Amino acid sequence: MAIDSGDPGLVAEYVLSLDAEGRKAVAAALPGHLSVVRGIAVPGQPSDETWIDPMRVAGAGTISGAAATVAWLNRRDFQDRRHEAPDATPVLVRVLSARPPAWQADFATRAALRLPGRTRGSYRRSGDAGALALAMLRHTGVTPPEHDPLVVEWAARPPTADRLRRDPLLGHLLPRLFEAEGVGRALRDERGDRSASDGWLAALTTLASEGGIDRDLLLDGCVRRFLRGGPVAGLRFFARLHERLEPTYDEVRERAPAYLRLLPAAPGSVADLALRHLRRLAELGPEDVGEAVRALLPRPERKLVTAGLVWLDEYARDRHAGLDTFAPALADAFRCPSADVQGRAVRLAVTHARQFGPGGVAAVRAGARVLPRDLAETLAAAFGGEAHAGVRREDDGFVPVPLPAPRLLAPLPPAPRTAADLAELPQRDDWQAMERWLAGVVRLHGEDPGGLAAALAGRAARRTGTGGPRHGIEACSEAIVALVADGSMDRLVHRPVDKPAGESMDRLAGGPADRPAGGPEEWLVHRSEGLLRGPSDESPDGGAGPLAGGPRLPAPHLFLLSRWAEVRDGLREGTLPPFLLAEPTEPTGHLDPAALVTRLESYERAGLQAMPADLQQALLRLPRAVPPEVVGRARALTSPAGRAAVNWMDGGRPTPLTTIDWPDDGLGALVPRVQAPATGLPLIDLLFAGPEPHPDEEHGGCLSWWPYVMPSDREVVAQHYLPHLRPARTPARGDVGPGEALALAATGGPPGEGVALVLAHVVAERVRGGAPERRAAPVVELAARGELDGAGLGRQLGRLLRRGWCKPGPALETLEAAAALGAYRQVWEVVTGLLETFLPGPEERPAARHAQVLAFALRAARWAGARGAVPRVAEAAARRASNNFVREARRLHTYLT
């Protein structure tokens, strides 16, 4: 057979020779042939993928509908390759070109719209859907659809000037290059080397110089992109393009208002670019100069503040006009962590003191509160007032307030009472509603199976796929809905303990020797394999095949999927119990131990067997301390599930030990470690084994659930969060934010290094975390509960700063917000830990960021009324240098001692 030859060209020759009936016959046989070609691989040998492109070509030439052909070519079987292969795009285009023109145009549009957003590692040179979509758009001449991933695919293939000049997509896609999300990330590594003859920078500037591309289109596109904002890495390419174009004087003058708008908040490199071009303009009016200076002086970057001071000095000397409107911005410059900038700002203010009126003088005096004594005295000599009025605690502007009471969580929503309450799936980010929905399905299957099937029938009829992650809870819930709506519940019977179904519960009551063969992860994949495929791959009865070739999902997400898989299997096999054991009783996710014993007693009276994942979830939700009278009741239980619960409540719960290994070079990924004795409970053993160092990023959007899966083991949850943290410098950002940290604070279990590191990440992550008060909320909540390890949080924050994961500015503003909310004593504890790990040692060279942290530490010490030497500060204060770092260390050491 041509497919078995592994030659896509041979398959193309064959399908092009077929008549209509022959194509129809081949198309019908292709799905069944997949299992045949996959079985060709020799066990123990490298995977043979030579069948993939022949199968794609066969489908492209025989499947009748354009939509079906696109779906065939984008099958996951064809996309997940482990080895490079020759590009089959020309062969595919040849086969598709034999179709009618209207069919080809429909295919090209659908193929373009099917392109997903690019993620790290998503590009495959062979079998690349993006290459085929672009080729067919060029071949057909159809207008490309509005779809950002299509523009990113076009951008991800650097052209030469000649290829771009001849590209029929240029006119359509070039304007979108500056608008589509993801283009900047895709092109961030293209260098601005003017000697390079290929790449987007060289091609665009060459065509612009020839007149083939309008310069205004390129310059306006770059400026619009700057004004949209975003991470500096996403703007890097556009900044390089802007500079390669070398805007003329007139081009800069026309865009001066836009450049002015960039100065206050654009990333430093973009603001510097705008500033350099604005400084070329001789005819900027005083209003424009004033706007520019007022935008520059409050910025955190030393270079930009200095440039603003130089410009203000020039303005003041040239015009001899009043400077009151600049006084607040000048006061902001006093806050710059650089001693040189502070000194320059004070000298400028003194030089032009006569140009300030009463209002300006008051503003300058107020700003002097943050200055060192010597500069404050210099300023006071020219502006009057007390030289050191602002360094005393009572004049710092900080007003201490009491620490708030711990946050009261809203009660759990009421349990669904009727089938109509379950007709719609809750949002996946609402863990309480999703738990109630699952428990309601199980409860009502016995009470009102017909009503439940009728209530879910409408949802099942609308089922077209969730649109969420392939391994998402929504897809799992849809499978359950389909089974219920198909009438599966009419077949339900309860199977008693003496007729076991599924996994042996004896294992769950036993010790480590009873652990299932193959390890807990293999057991878990087996339990949940039916739900780990996309909706398009499911059979009509809700079943599906194994997890072959799928990603390694995080253990907590696999655990959630296994619980949904149990319910799905119980519906299909007629073994579903009348209610779940693990339904929480508290808004923290905890389960009342007495309620669990009552549920197990009901199971035993009815001769029912517990579902393994449900039982283990119930155990994880128990509080660490169980009342003795409840343990006494539990000892009367005789079933395997009852014995497992007694063992857990009566001293059998393990106490995991957690640590974090940091790479010595400061560049590699940190490694979370969790150790706990094996329990014989495979799901719990998997969770207590710690996370993979580099898991796939697919967590189903359920990170916020994880604390409520293990509400008595928040440190273990935090360890599972660690692989999902990302340095601030990386384009891909993590998903762990204040919401997840606040959930850790609300749950239980002793916090350790993992909780401290998650808190440190949230404290310092401005983009993901939002306002400082929002980032401070988890810190304040743990402080209110008396559970904050402030020094531990500070040490982890210092390690993140040392490794360049984040910058001090966002972290310090979060700590200041926490102090303002009442946690000022705990903030000093955080600062002591921060100083321990962040300050440079005797052989290390200090930088401005170290002086910045020391200046904040002095403020925090005054807020808390702290006393007593800090060793690292004392060492820094004893150095014989006279730089800003040593001066700040001496000020803090003097105050503390």
Side-chain angles (χ1 to χ4, degrees):
M1 188 175 181
I3 290 176
D4 298 337
S5 71
D7 184 353
L10 183 61
V11 175
E13 295 289 347
Y14 180 79
V15 298
L16 289 173
S17 70
L18 294 174
D19 58 14
E21 290 301 320
R23 292 193 297 272
K24 183 176 180 181
V26 171
L30 284 176
H33 196 62
L34 278 172
S35 60
V36 176
V37 293
R38 279 196 294 251
I40 294 176
V42 179
Q45 297 296 321
S47 175
D48 183 355
E49 297 175 339
T50 58
W51 56 271
I52 292 179
D53 285 331
M55 288 290 286
R56 296 174 73 226
V57 172
T62 61
I63 297 174
S64 60
T69 305
V70 171
W72 172 263
L73 292 172
N74 283 276
R75 286 181 65 94
R76 192 176 182 89
D77 314 65
F78 302 153
Q79 300 303 319
D80 289 341
R81 301 208 194 196
R82 300 179 182 177
H83 308 288
E84 292 290 337
D87 187 6
T89 300
V91 181
L92 287 166
V93 173
R94 177 186 168 199
V95 170
L96 294 168
S97 298
R99 303 298 189 104
W103 189 100
Q104 294 181 49
D106 186 25
F107 173 91
T109 300
R110 290 177 181 274
L113 290 173
R114 184 67 178 261
L115 293 175
R118 275 180 170 241
T119 57
R120 183 181 51 201
S122 66
Y123 177 62
R124 296 290 185 272
R125 180 181 162 196
S126 56
D128 178 39
L132 180 59
L134 292 168
M136 288 303 294
L137 288 171
R138 292 183 176 112
H139 175 75
T140 60
V142 67
T143 300
E146 296 276 352
H147 189 47
D148 285 0
L150 173 64
V151 185
V152 175
E153 289 293 338
W154 186 61
R157 295 163 170 80
T160 62
D162 185 57
R163 287 203 306 269
L164 187 61
R165 188 184 295 113
R166 293 182 287 106
D167 190 347
L169 298 179
L170 175 62
H172 298 291
L173 297 186
L174 180 58
R176 303 185 204 171
L177 195 73
F178 303 95
E179 309 296 336
E181 189 65 34
V183 170
R185 184 169 60 250
L187 299 181
R188 66 185 183 272
D189 294 328
E190 182 160 335
R191 296 297 176 187
D193 185 1
R194 294 179 180 272
S195 64
S197 60
D198 58 356
W200 281 102
L201 293 174
L204 290 173
T205 52
T206 298
L207 266 61
S209 66
E210 298 172 352
I213 295 177
D214 186 356
R215 283 177 57 86
D216 286 340
L217 185 152
L218 299 180
L219 286 171
D220 289 339
C222 290
V223 173
R224 285 199 310 273
R225 193 68 180 217
F226 298 152
L227 290 171
R228 284 176 55 187
V232 65
L235 300 176
R236 186 178 299 146
F237 167 80
F238 301 103
R240 288 171 175 165
L241 175 59
H242 184 279
E243 296 305 277
R244 283 285 292 268
L245 290 169
E246 298 180 342
T248 65
Y249 188 95
D250 289 340
E251 288 171 333
V252 172
R253 185 183 60 225
E254 292 170 3
R255 294 166 178 82
Y259 291 134
L260 285 168
R261 290 171 57 194
L262 291 171
L263 295 181
S269 58
V270 176
D272 182 62
L273 174 154
L275 173 63
R276 283 188 283 106
H277 289 291
L278 285 169
R279 293 287 272 158
R280 295 169 55 191
L281 301 179
E283 63 268 31
L284 274 183
E287 292 184 359
D288 291 336
V289 173
E291 179 183 349
V293 171
R294 286 190 294 271
L296 291 169
L297 295 187
R299 289 195 63 108
E301 299 90 350
R302 170 181 172 177
K303 179 180 180 181
L304 292 176
V305 179
T306 301
L309 291 171
V310 170
W311 205 349
L312 177 57
D313 185 47
E314 294 174 1
Y315 176 87
R317 292 178 187 275
D318 292 344
R319 296 186 175 274
H320 302 286
L323 299 180
D324 282 4
T325 58
F326 296 95
L330 185 60
D332 284 330
F334 295 159
R335 296 180 177 273
C336 183
S338 168
D340 292 340
V341 172
Q342 288 181 327
R344 181 187 287 269
V346 168
R347 290 193 297 273
L348 185 150
V350 171
T351 300
H352 304 289
R354 294 184 179 182
Q355 293 172 250
F356 290 94
V361 169
V364 172
R365 284 180 181 174
R369 296 173 179 175
V370 299
L371 289 170
R373 179 179 294 276
D374 55 342
L375 293 179
E377 290 173 348
T378 301
L379 199 67
F383 285 82
E386 296 184 17
H388 231 49
V391 299
R392 292 196 298 270
R393 180 181 177 186
E394 60 270 21
D395 294 329
D396 187 40
F398 176 78
V399 179
V401 298
L403 194 65
R407 188 170 55 106
L408 294 177
L409 301 181
L412 287 171
R417 296 184 178 276
T418 67
D421 296 336
L422 303 172
E424 294 297 332
L425 288 177
Q427 295 295 321
R428 72 177 179 208
D429 57 358
D430 188 346
W431 76 270
Q432 294 182 353
M434 287 296 284
E435 287 278 1
R436 288 301 204 211
W437 183 87
L438 186 68
V441 168
V442 174
R443 184 182 302 110
L444 288 173
H445 90 272
E447 298 175 3
D448 185 13
L452 185 62
L456 296 184
R459 174 73 189 191
R462 299 194 306 272
R463 183 181 180 221
T464 58
T466 65
R470 173 174 176 256
H471 306 287
I473 287 293
E474 302 102 319
C476 305
S477 302
E478 294 279 13
I480 292 173
V481 168
L483 281 171
V484 174
D486 286 346
S488 300
M489 304 186 78
D490 295 338
R491 305 192 300 270
L492 292 177
V493 295
H494 300 313
R495 188 168 295 177
V497 171
D498 58 358
K499 295 181 180 179
E503 300 298 325
S504 170
M505 288 302 302
D506 290 328
R507 283 181 176 173
L508 301 182
D514 298 312
R515 169 176 269 175
E521 186 169 4
E522 289 76 6
W523 183 92
L524 179 52
V525 170
H526 170 72
R527 288 296 305 163
S528 54
E529 64 179 0
L531 288 175
L532 296 182
R533 296 188 57 170
S536 62
D537 296 331
E538 287 186 7
S539 59
D541 65 352
L547 182 62
R552 295 176 62 85
L553 304 181
H557 187 48
L558 278 173
F559 184 35
L560 286 170
L561 291 175
S562 73
R563 293 183 54 218
W564 262 250
E566 279 191 336
V567 173
R568 189 277 319 272
D569 292 345
L571 286 166
R572 190 166 53 198
E573 299 168 6
T575 60
L576 204 62
F579 55 83
L580 293 180
L581 297 174
E583 186 175 5
T585 57
E586 302 296 332
T588 58
H590 281 101
L591 171 59
D592 182 6
L596 176 57
V597 173
T598 298
R599 294 172 186 178
L600 288 168
E601 289 170 344
S602 297
Y603 269 41
E604 292 192 3
R605 284 194 299 271
L608 300 175
Q609 176 172 312
M611 297 188 295
D614 182 38
L615 173 64
Q616 291 173 78
Q617 174 65 94
L619 299 182
L620 285 171
R621 282 186 163 151
L622 292 175
R624 287 177 171 262
V626 179
E629 62 272 17
V630 176
V631 177
R633 276 182 57 200
R635 291 194 183 106
L637 298 170
T638 59
S639 65
R643 295 197 305 272
V646 167
N647 180 58
W648 187 269
M649 295 179 184
D650 200 14
R653 167 191 275 275
T655 302
L657 301 177
T658 62
T659 57
I660 301 172
D661 290 345
W662 291 88
D664 293 335
D665 59 7
L667 301 176
L670 58 88
V671 180
R673 299 194 184 279
V674 181
Q675 293 180 324
T679 64
L681 304 170
L683 295 145
I684 292 175
D685 286 346
L686 180 62
L687 291 170
F688 284 2
E692 293 285 333
H694 302 284
D696 289 318
E697 294 186 3
E698 175 62 85
H699 46 69
C702 295
L703 282 177
S704 60
W705 287 32
W706 294 6
Y708 308 106
V709 171
M710 295 179 278
S712 295
D713 294 282
R714 59 179 159 202
E715 173 63 16
V716 177
V717 176
Q719 293 282 334
H720 283 285
Y721 275 156
L722 299 188
H724 301 278
L725 306 184
R726 297 288 185 272
R729 64 176 182 268
T730 59
R733 311 310 293 258
D735 293 318
V736 179
E740 288 72 27
L742 200 57
L744 289 176
T747 51
E753 290 186 349
V755 171
L757 183 52
V758 169
L759 287 175
H761 173 78
V762 170
V763 161
E765 177 51 80
R766 179 184 285 159
V767 174
R768 172 78 169 90
E773 292 76 14
R774 183 169 181 262
R775 306 198 303 268
V779 177
V780 176
E781 179 66 18
L782 279 168
R785 295 170 179 268
E787 298 172 345
L788 177 67
D789 177 6
L793 164 56
R795 285 190 290 271
Q796 299 296 355
L797 180 58
R799 293 184 179 107
L800 292 181
L801 291 171
R802 263 189 174 270
R803 286 163 172 77
W805 273 54
C806 52
K807 294 183 178 180
L812 300 183
E813 69 183 9
T814 305
L815 294 178
E816 184 165 357
L821 292 171
Y824 51 91
R825 291 188 176 89
Q826 291 79 7
V827 165
W828 172 246
E829 295 174 3
V830 175
V831 169
T832 60
L834 170 61
L835 297 173
E836 177 186 335
T837 56
F838 179 60
L839 292 186
E843 303 302 321
E844 296 177 282
R845 185 174 182 177
R849 63 183 183 273
H850 298 115
Q852 179 184 6
V853 169
L854 284 169
F856 178 83
L858 177 57
R859 298 177 63 210
R862 288 182 171 132
W863 298 338
R867 288 293 184 267
V870 175
R872 292 299 292 272
V873 176
E875 181 275 323
R879 297 187 185 187
R880 294 187 175 182
S882 60
N883 53 46
N884 197 36
F885 167 74
V886 173
R887 284 194 296 269
E888 292 292 351
R890 288 170 181 166
R891 292 176 63 204
L892 177 57
H893 183 66
T894 299
Y895 174 81
L896 292 173
T897 56

